[in-house]
Amino acid sequence: MKGLFLTFEGPDGAGKTTQIELLKDYFQDRGMDVVITREPGGTKIGEKIRNVILDVENKEMDDICEALLYSASRAQLVKEVIIPNIEAGSVVICDRFVESSIVYQGYARGLGEDTISSINQIATRGLVPDAVFLLMISPEEGIRRKKGSGKLDRLEMEKIEFHNKVHEGYNRLEGRRKNIHKIDAQRDVQEIHNDILRVIENLLKREE
Ligand code: TYD
């Protein structure tokens, strides 16, 4: 039996990590194998690429270089981790995936959705998540939450206009494809989790 592939998206500080952990417990309580991974990174090669991308010293990084590095990390992750685990029947949960590139590089950096989609078609080998959870918070709330949590990386240090564009970009994704589920993440953790479970239970019914 094939497993499930779920991704979490949203502006920095939206609370993806907390929700991913809760969802992991839900699947494990049902005796299902869960693999959690993150982007950029998730493999030995991907983590090296991550360090290059997020390094605050790399101020001169070209936008196209940035987009290709994210997709390079993704290509390795898809091949090494995501596809083999889905084929082994596990639930694979990924912290960010293609939609992050569409929003951050395509929209906020202005490279355009078509360019980013075509690069990613190659990187993902056409793999599409069963569900994409968009955790939405206001840009100000996102920055506030992140600032409280220590040092900022190169992307997080971008100006407020950049974060506003990220937010707008995610809003524009809503309703674009049936697998995208927008969740209001400025609520109680358990309420958010319950919304996510509703979607998962429908997916599991579909698989039966
Ligand atoms: P990370 O520390 O993983 O952020 P978060 O905890 O918010 O997920 O850093 C990843 C950063 O990279 C984040 O600012 C979003 C950005 N990003 C892109 O710009 N494009 C991408 O394709 C991905 C996967 C992430």
Side-chain angles (χ1 to χ4, degrees), residues 11 131 181:
H181 304 274

Side-chain angles (χ1 to χ4, degrees), residues 12 16 50 70 74 96 100-101 104-105 146 155:
D12 299 325
K16 299 190 299 303
R50 177 187 177 89
Y70 278 113
R74 184 163 299 133
R96 299 192 178 280
S100 281
S101 285
Y104 283 76
Q105 282 67 50
K146 270 282 171 183
L155 274 279

Side-chain angles (χ1 to χ4, degrees), residues 14 18-19 69 82 96 99 110 116 150 161 184 190 196 198:
T18 309
Q19 291 301 327
L69 286 175
I82 302 178
R96 299 192 178 280
E99 279 67 24
I116 300 301
E161 298 91 82
D184 171 4
Q190 195 58 43
I196 292 170
R198 232 167 278 139

